[in-house]
Amino acid sequence: MELGRVLDTLPGMVFSAYPDGRIDFVNKCLAGITGSIEGWPKRGVWPLAAPPGEAMDILRNWRAKLSLGEPFEMAVPIRCKDGKVALALRCNPLRKCGKIAKWYGRAVDVTTPEIDPVREDNYFQRVVDSIPVPVAVTTPAGDVEGLNQPALDYFGMSLEELQDWKATKVVHPDDLGRTMNDQLEAHKTGTFYNVESRHLRSDGAYRWHNVLGLPLRDVDGTILRWFHPLIDIEDSKNAQKALVERERESRFIIDGIAGMIAIFSPDGALIGGNQQILDYFQLPLNELNNWATNGITHPDDLQVCMDSFMGSIITGEPYDYETRFLRSDGVYRWFQLRGLPLRDAEGTIVRWYGLLTDIDDRKRAEERQRRSEASLADAQRLSKTGSFSLNFATNEILWSAETYRIFDVETSMPITMEAIMSRLDSAGVATVRDVINRSRETSGDFDYELRLFARDGSAKNVRVLAHSERNAEGQQELTGAIQDVTEGRLAEEALNEARSQLSYVTRVTSLGVLTASIAHEVNQPLAGIVANASTCLRVLVADQPNIELAKDTARRMVRDANRAAEVIVRLRALFSRKPASVEALDMNDVASEVLSLALSDLQRRRVSIFTEFDRSLPPVSGARVQLQQVIMNLIRNSIEALESVQQQPRRLTLRTTSLGDEIVLSVQDNGVGFGPTGPHNIFDAFYTTKNEGMGIGLSVSRTIVENHSGRIWASPEEDGGVTVSFALPACQAKNIG
């Protein structure tokens, strides 16, 4: 733009053209002569301004001159507003890298006389002074002939000082030699030149300028003088430097991104990329540009890539898809491809930036997780065991697929406590509320059974194992597993029923065998006694009693009676108790073994068992089997007392502790309690409050405890339950008879 303003102020007619001869600029002086000829020079050819009939000759001559690529002159008749004028065109080529970049020319009106040189010089000086940029006028030899006022103001020197510009610092020392060489070469060839150099401003600062060398010729083509406009390009240089720096920073940022960057033209051609993409493929960009055919894209993903990428190129919308690319070592890896268009101020896409992120490790981890989840789901389905979690801070409930199946709930249905409670009976509701209240505040383990109802009304027995603790965020959380034990419970009940029937049959059979054995053992001596008694009687009532025979018969009767007595003694010995084996016992181990035996019954009766064992207790002396019989009696009494509990959880607590020199074991329940009679007489033989009871269990238990030098007692609880305890002395070894 500055060059155009400079050329417009020149008194001569100046123009420029493209290498093919199309006119791209005429200054105001030339435009003023041609007037308003329609379509010229906008359409850019001289024949449009020529008179009719001469256009083709001018065009052929013009093209012939241009084809030589050398400075030339030619005459052109031009139609103008005042009639016809003849112009002499003098054109010089401007070359860059050996090729013609522009043609610059001057037109001289040869139909008018020459201007007086003195008047022309004054005119030139006025024109030069009116140019708003610094301009130097030199002789054909290169000596400074004049400077306009902007030049004097910029340098802050006089004309005389500036005439010796080669010996001063007016031109930056690093640029002086190059400037002198370019000027000398232009003066030799008489061609236009353009050079960039730094010039010293009056404040001592060097600024970059674009210095032009424009020859002014006479009618004969002789150079009269040179015009040298100095166009300040410092800001442009700084902007260009900043742009280069930004590009360098952008390249640094792009190369530092943990991913591969691809740069595409608006039509989708690959025109650049960061170092990572070159390192991954080990291919040059021109080969990577053929990604659709060179095999770097996995064949199974190629169509998706083409559809996604080219769809975005056509629509201008960002793309985001996944595909596999072949690494230089022959391994395919998964990548996520995301692309965004870069638009100019008018919204036109100037390039595309694509980010290729390696997600192969993530995809493999996702696949392993998917397989693990599928395996876990299969295991839960086969074992009929689901999992759950309850976050007390957020009230979020998570269920596995098997838990949904156990509760007979659609997987799309939101899980709430109300939905859970609606599937339980009253005892189950009470148990769940009790567990939640306790696990909300403290950590611990829970093991209980529930009875839930499906949508069709069928009932299920489920066992719940849960653990409450704080998670990584410090929030109290209850996690656990729920197992459908309906089939197991039905099988266990059937087994128990079979056991009961078998036990009954066994008892009947044993009784019959025992009766037959007793009859067989006693019948023979009794028969002998009867036979001997009959013989003795006949001998004594005979006419001549045989005393010796009677004596022998009486002795055989005594023998047979002794034989019958021995049978009874042997039977008594068979059913009598042998002395118990006394040993040092850990009461916690004794209780744990009993609990293992009773666990099935506890679960079947939906009784939650809690243990509070003192692990620092000393051992006791006793018979393991007899003490386990006592503990089993107490647990069974508690289970039976809990049968009628429906509105609250059924709880049984087994506790061991020390009391002085005694070791105490307690069984506590929240059952029906003692009833109106209280705890009196419960240890008496044949005393019972149960319809089916015989009143033997607690009586036998008291006998066993007392034989161990211990004591047993019972006490009511505030919630209506009962605690039965017995205490044994520590480490007293004796035989219990």
Side-chain angles (χ1 to χ4, degrees), residues 58 68 95 100 140 150 165 169 171 206 218 272 283 347 434 463 481 498 538 547 592 596 602:
I58 294 173
L68 298 176
R95 298 180 183 274
I100 297 177
W165 62 274
K169 295 183 179 180
V171 180
Y206 280 103
D218 61 13
L283 293 173
D434 179 64
R463 182 186 179 187
R538 286 197 305 270
I547 301 301
S592 297
S596 298
L602 288 167

PDB file of all heavy atoms in Angstrom, residues 58 68 95 100 140 150 165 169 171 206 218 272 283 347 434 463 481 498 538 547 592 596 602:
ATOM      1  N   ILE A  58      -1.071  -5.235 -31.214  1.00  0.00           N
ATOM      2  CA  ILE A  58      -0.445  -4.827 -29.947  1.00  0.00           C
ATOM      3  C   ILE A  58      -0.285  -6.035 -29.026  1.00  0.00           C
ATOM      4  O   ILE A  58       0.751  -6.207 -28.376  1.00  0.00           O
ATOM      5  CB  ILE A  58      -1.283  -3.733 -29.276  1.00  0.00           C
ATOM      6  CG1 ILE A  58      -1.255  -2.449 -30.120  1.00  0.00           C
ATOM      7  CG2 ILE A  58      -0.780  -3.447 -27.857  1.00  0.00           C
ATOM      8  CD1 ILE A  58      -2.188  -1.363 -29.611  1.00  0.00           C
ATOM      9  N   LEU A  68      10.680 -12.924 -24.129  1.00  0.00           N
ATOM     10  CA  LEU A  68      12.138 -12.853 -24.130  1.00  0.00           C
ATOM     11  C   LEU A  68      12.694 -12.776 -22.720  1.00  0.00           C
ATOM     12  O   LEU A  68      13.830 -13.164 -22.470  1.00  0.00           O
ATOM     13  CB  LEU A  68      12.595 -11.640 -24.944  1.00  0.00           C
ATOM     14  CG  LEU A  68      12.202 -11.647 -26.432  1.00  0.00           C
ATOM     15  CD1 LEU A  68      12.624 -10.345 -27.101  1.00  0.00           C
ATOM     16  CD2 LEU A  68      12.828 -12.843 -27.142  1.00  0.00           C
ATOM     17  N   ARG A  95      13.191 -10.166 -10.812  1.00  0.00           N
ATOM     18  CA  ARG A  95      13.388 -11.603 -10.665  1.00  0.00           C
ATOM     19  C   ARG A  95      13.570 -11.977  -9.194  1.00  0.00           C
ATOM     20  O   ARG A  95      14.196 -11.244  -8.434  1.00  0.00           O
ATOM     21  CB  ARG A  95      14.605 -12.063 -11.468  1.00  0.00           C
ATOM     22  CG  ARG A  95      14.464 -11.823 -12.969  1.00  0.00           C
ATOM     23  CD  ARG A  95      15.696 -12.294 -13.721  1.00  0.00           C
ATOM     24  NE  ARG A  95      15.597 -12.016 -15.135  1.00  0.00           N
ATOM     25  CZ  ARG A  95      15.009 -12.813 -16.026  1.00  0.00           C
ATOM     26  NH1 ARG A  95      14.485 -13.962 -15.615  1.00  0.00           N
ATOM     27  NH2 ARG A  95      14.959 -12.496 -17.306  1.00  0.00           N
ATOM     28  N   ILE A 100      10.999 -14.614 -13.115  1.00  0.00           N
ATOM     29  CA  ILE A 100      10.368 -13.292 -13.166  1.00  0.00           C
ATOM     30  C   ILE A 100       9.162 -13.276 -12.230  1.00  0.00           C
ATOM     31  O   ILE A 100       8.248 -14.086 -12.370  1.00  0.00           O
ATOM     32  CB  ILE A 100       9.941 -12.939 -14.599  1.00  0.00           C
ATOM     33  CG1 ILE A 100      11.171 -12.854 -15.510  1.00  0.00           C
ATOM     34  CG2 ILE A 100       9.147 -11.630 -14.614  1.00  0.00           C
ATOM     35  CD1 ILE A 100      10.848 -12.589 -16.961  1.00  0.00           C
ATOM     36  N   PRO A 140      22.425   8.999 -11.432  1.00  0.00           N
ATOM     37  CA  PRO A 140      22.623   7.665 -12.012  1.00  0.00           C
ATOM     38  C   PRO A 140      23.831   6.937 -11.451  1.00  0.00           C
ATOM     39  O   PRO A 140      23.862   5.709 -11.444  1.00  0.00           O
ATOM     40  CB  PRO A 140      22.781   7.958 -13.502  1.00  0.00           C
ATOM     41  CG  PRO A 140      22.019   9.228 -13.725  1.00  0.00           C
ATOM     42  CD  PRO A 140      22.238  10.047 -12.488  1.00  0.00           C
ATOM     43  N   PRO A 150      10.475  14.396   5.031  1.00  0.00           N
ATOM     44  CA  PRO A 150      10.365  13.256   5.947  1.00  0.00           C
ATOM     45  C   PRO A 150      11.689  12.528   6.171  1.00  0.00           C
ATOM     46  O   PRO A 150      11.948  12.028   7.259  1.00  0.00           O
ATOM     47  CB  PRO A 150       9.334  12.347   5.260  1.00  0.00           C
ATOM     48  CG  PRO A 150       8.490  13.281   4.473  1.00  0.00           C
ATOM     49  CD  PRO A 150       9.436  14.342   3.968  1.00  0.00           C
ATOM     50  N   TRP A 165      26.541   8.958   3.311  1.00  0.00           N
ATOM     51  CA  TRP A 165      25.852   7.919   4.100  1.00  0.00           C
ATOM     52  C   TRP A 165      26.645   6.622   4.229  1.00  0.00           C
ATOM     53  O   TRP A 165      26.493   5.883   5.187  1.00  0.00           O
ATOM     54  CB  TRP A 165      24.482   7.617   3.489  1.00  0.00           C
ATOM     55  CG  TRP A 165      24.524   7.082   2.079  1.00  0.00           C
ATOM     56  CD1 TRP A 165      24.572   7.792   0.934  1.00  0.00           C
ATOM     57  CD2 TRP A 165      24.550   5.704   1.699  1.00  0.00           C
ATOM     58  NE1 TRP A 165      24.607   6.985  -0.161  1.00  0.00           N
ATOM     59  CE2 TRP A 165      24.584   5.677   0.288  1.00  0.00           C
ATOM     60  CE3 TRP A 165      24.545   4.502   2.387  1.00  0.00           C
ATOM     61  CZ2 TRP A 165      24.627   4.501  -0.451  1.00  0.00           C
ATOM     62  CZ3 TRP A 165      24.573   3.327   1.664  1.00  0.00           C
ATOM     63  CH2 TRP A 165      24.613   3.321   0.260  1.00  0.00           C
ATOM     64  N   LYS A 169      26.841   5.951  10.232  1.00  0.00           N
ATOM     65  CA  LYS A 169      26.068   4.809  10.744  1.00  0.00           C
ATOM     66  C   LYS A 169      24.595   4.911  10.354  1.00  0.00           C
ATOM     67  O   LYS A 169      23.731   4.328  10.999  1.00  0.00           O
ATOM     68  CB  LYS A 169      26.192   4.734  12.260  1.00  0.00           C
ATOM     69  CG  LYS A 169      27.608   4.427  12.733  1.00  0.00           C
ATOM     70  CD  LYS A 169      27.652   4.286  14.239  1.00  0.00           C
ATOM     71  CE  LYS A 169      29.065   3.952  14.716  1.00  0.00           C
ATOM     72  NZ  LYS A 169      29.137   3.806  16.195  1.00  0.00           N
ATOM     73  N   VAL A 171      23.175   3.593   7.842  1.00  0.00           N
ATOM     74  CA  VAL A 171      22.784   2.214   7.557  1.00  0.00           C
ATOM     75  C   VAL A 171      23.494   1.316   8.569  1.00  0.00           C
ATOM     76  O   VAL A 171      24.690   1.503   8.841  1.00  0.00           O
ATOM     77  CB  VAL A 171      23.162   1.816   6.126  1.00  0.00           C
ATOM     78  CG1 VAL A 171      22.736   0.370   5.850  1.00  0.00           C
ATOM     79  CG2 VAL A 171      22.516   2.755   5.128  1.00  0.00           C
ATOM     80  N   TYR A 206      17.728   1.882  15.595  1.00  0.00           N
ATOM     81  CA  TYR A 206      17.689   1.341  14.242  1.00  0.00           C
ATOM     82  C   TYR A 206      16.316   0.721  14.005  1.00  0.00           C
ATOM     83  O   TYR A 206      15.794  -0.012  14.832  1.00  0.00           O
ATOM     84  CB  TYR A 206      18.766   0.282  14.052  1.00  0.00           C
ATOM     85  CG  TYR A 206      20.148   0.843  13.797  1.00  0.00           C
ATOM     86  CD1 TYR A 206      21.098   0.870  14.809  1.00  0.00           C
ATOM     87  CD2 TYR A 206      20.487   1.338  12.534  1.00  0.00           C
ATOM     88  CE1 TYR A 206      22.374   1.381  14.579  1.00  0.00           C
ATOM     89  CE2 TYR A 206      21.771   1.842  12.300  1.00  0.00           C
ATOM     90  CZ  TYR A 206      22.704   1.870  13.322  1.00  0.00           C
ATOM     91  OH  TYR A 206      23.943   2.372  13.087  1.00  0.00           O
ATOM     92  N   ASP A 218      14.484   9.197 -19.325  1.00  0.00           N
ATOM     93  CA  ASP A 218      13.971  10.174 -20.281  1.00  0.00           C
ATOM     94  C   ASP A 218      13.332   9.437 -21.437  1.00  0.00           C
ATOM     95  O   ASP A 218      13.159   8.207 -21.398  1.00  0.00           O
ATOM     96  CB  ASP A 218      15.080  11.118 -20.748  1.00  0.00           C
ATOM     97  CG  ASP A 218      16.213  10.375 -21.448  1.00  0.00           C
ATOM     98  OD1 ASP A 218      16.013   9.175 -21.776  1.00  0.00           O
ATOM     99  OD2 ASP A 218      17.287  10.955 -21.644  1.00  0.00           O
ATOM    100  N   GLY A 272       1.363 -31.964   8.092  1.00  0.00           N
ATOM    101  CA  GLY A 272       2.307 -31.806   9.184  1.00  0.00           C
ATOM    102  C   GLY A 272       1.958 -32.709  10.345  1.00  0.00           C
ATOM    103  O   GLY A 272       0.896 -33.330  10.391  1.00  0.00           O
ATOM    104  N   LEU A 283       7.699 -43.307   9.414  1.00  0.00           N
ATOM    105  CA  LEU A 283       7.427 -43.056   7.997  1.00  0.00           C
ATOM    106  C   LEU A 283       7.419 -41.559   7.751  1.00  0.00           C
ATOM    107  O   LEU A 283       7.025 -40.782   8.629  1.00  0.00           O
ATOM    108  CB  LEU A 283       6.075 -43.652   7.581  1.00  0.00           C
ATOM    109  CG  LEU A 283       5.932 -45.181   7.590  1.00  0.00           C
ATOM    110  CD1 LEU A 283       4.484 -45.557   7.307  1.00  0.00           C
ATOM    111  CD2 LEU A 283       6.850 -45.816   6.567  1.00  0.00           C
ATOM    112  N   GLY A 347     -14.649 -17.466   9.271  1.00  0.00           N
ATOM    113  CA  GLY A 347     -15.224 -18.773   9.551  1.00  0.00           C
ATOM    114  C   GLY A 347     -14.803 -19.858   8.586  1.00  0.00           C
ATOM    115  O   GLY A 347     -15.289 -20.989   8.672  1.00  0.00           O
ATOM    116  N   ASP A 434     -32.437 -52.872  62.523  1.00  0.00           N
ATOM    117  CA  ASP A 434     -31.497 -52.999  63.628  1.00  0.00           C
ATOM    118  C   ASP A 434     -30.055 -53.010  63.109  1.00  0.00           C
ATOM    119  O   ASP A 434     -29.174 -52.337  63.661  1.00  0.00           O
ATOM    120  CB  ASP A 434     -31.792 -54.280  64.409  1.00  0.00           C
ATOM    121  CG  ASP A 434     -30.833 -54.487  65.565  1.00  0.00           C
ATOM    122  OD1 ASP A 434     -30.839 -53.653  66.486  1.00  0.00           O
ATOM    123  OD2 ASP A 434     -30.071 -55.474  65.537  1.00  0.00           O
ATOM    124  N   ARG A 463     -29.563 -65.605  53.253  1.00  0.00           N
ATOM    125  CA  ARG A 463     -28.580 -65.352  54.292  1.00  0.00           C
ATOM    126  C   ARG A 463     -27.771 -64.129  53.902  1.00  0.00           C
ATOM    127  O   ARG A 463     -27.342 -64.003  52.750  1.00  0.00           O
ATOM    128  CB  ARG A 463     -27.653 -66.555  54.465  1.00  0.00           C
ATOM    129  CG  ARG A 463     -26.623 -66.356  55.577  1.00  0.00           C
ATOM    130  CD  ARG A 463     -25.623 -67.499  55.630  1.00  0.00           C
ATOM    131  NE  ARG A 463     -24.628 -67.304  56.663  1.00  0.00           N
ATOM    132  CZ  ARG A 463     -23.554 -68.079  56.841  1.00  0.00           C
ATOM    133  NH1 ARG A 463     -23.357 -69.115  56.029  1.00  0.00           N
ATOM    134  NH2 ARG A 463     -22.696 -67.821  57.809  1.00  0.00           N
ATOM    135  N   ALA A 481     -22.759 -59.550  51.119  1.00  0.00           N
ATOM    136  CA  ALA A 481     -23.261 -60.525  50.156  1.00  0.00           C
ATOM    137  C   ALA A 481     -24.569 -61.096  50.662  1.00  0.00           C
ATOM    138  O   ALA A 481     -24.788 -61.219  51.872  1.00  0.00           O
ATOM    139  CB  ALA A 481     -22.238 -61.648  49.946  1.00  0.00           C
ATOM    140  N   ALA A 498     -36.273 -86.328  58.065  1.00  0.00           N
ATOM    141  CA  ALA A 498     -35.843 -87.717  57.873  1.00  0.00           C
ATOM    142  C   ALA A 498     -35.063 -88.215  59.072  1.00  0.00           C
ATOM    143  O   ALA A 498     -35.193 -89.364  59.500  1.00  0.00           O
ATOM    144  CB  ALA A 498     -35.002 -87.815  56.594  1.00  0.00           C
ATOM    145  N   ARG A 538     -41.821-132.566  93.384  1.00  0.00           N
ATOM    146  CA  ARG A 538     -42.207-133.969  93.199  1.00  0.00           C
ATOM    147  C   ARG A 538     -41.385-134.888  94.092  1.00  0.00           C
ATOM    148  O   ARG A 538     -41.875-135.859  94.652  1.00  0.00           O
ATOM    149  CB  ARG A 538     -41.997-134.372  91.721  1.00  0.00           C
ATOM    150  CG  ARG A 538     -43.026-133.803  90.779  1.00  0.00           C
ATOM    151  CD  ARG A 538     -43.025-134.535  89.451  1.00  0.00           C
ATOM    152  NE  ARG A 538     -41.702-134.543  88.835  1.00  0.00           N
ATOM    153  CZ  ARG A 538     -41.260-133.618  88.014  1.00  0.00           C
ATOM    154  NH1 ARG A 538     -42.049-132.574  87.692  1.00  0.00           N
ATOM    155  NH2 ARG A 538     -40.060-133.715  87.510  1.00  0.00           N
ATOM    156  N   ILE A 547     -34.114-136.860  99.623  1.00  0.00           N
ATOM    157  CA  ILE A 547     -33.577-135.610 100.174  1.00  0.00           C
ATOM    158  C   ILE A 547     -32.365-135.161  99.385  1.00  0.00           C
ATOM    159  O   ILE A 547     -32.185-133.973  99.099  1.00  0.00           O
ATOM    160  CB  ILE A 547     -33.254-135.790 101.674  1.00  0.00           C
ATOM    161  CG1 ILE A 547     -34.521-136.198 102.455  1.00  0.00           C
ATOM    162  CG2 ILE A 547     -32.632-134.540 102.249  1.00  0.00           C
ATOM    163  CD1 ILE A 547     -35.643-135.206 102.347  1.00  0.00           C
ATOM    164  N   SER A 592     -17.234 -72.252  71.062  1.00  0.00           N
ATOM    165  CA  SER A 592     -17.196 -72.125  69.604  1.00  0.00           C
ATOM    166  C   SER A 592     -17.579 -73.431  68.933  1.00  0.00           C
ATOM    167  O   SER A 592     -18.273 -73.448  67.909  1.00  0.00           O
ATOM    168  CB  SER A 592     -15.801 -71.687  69.151  1.00  0.00           C
ATOM    169  OG  SER A 592     -15.485 -70.406  69.659  1.00  0.00           O
ATOM    170  N   SER A 596     -20.770 -73.967  66.387  1.00  0.00           N
ATOM    171  CA  SER A 596     -20.695 -74.533  65.046  1.00  0.00           C
ATOM    172  C   SER A 596     -21.757 -75.604  64.846  1.00  0.00           C
ATOM    173  O   SER A 596     -22.370 -75.709  63.781  1.00  0.00           O
ATOM    174  CB  SER A 596     -19.299 -75.118  64.812  1.00  0.00           C
ATOM    175  OG  SER A 596     -18.318 -74.107  64.903  1.00  0.00           O
ATOM    176  N   LEU A 602     -29.701 -72.245  64.155  1.00  0.00           N
ATOM    177  CA  LEU A 602     -29.855 -70.800  64.375  1.00  0.00           C
ATOM    178  C   LEU A 602     -30.250 -70.100  63.080  1.00  0.00           C
ATOM    179  O   LEU A 602     -31.128 -69.231  63.066  1.00  0.00           O
ATOM    180  CB  LEU A 602     -28.548 -70.213  64.918  1.00  0.00           C
ATOM    181  CG  LEU A 602     -28.185 -70.567  66.365  1.00  0.00           C
ATOM    182  CD1 LEU A 602     -26.742 -70.190  66.644  1.00  0.00           C
ATOM    183  CD2 LEU A 602     -29.112 -69.845  67.345  1.00  0.00           C
TER     184      LEU A 602
END
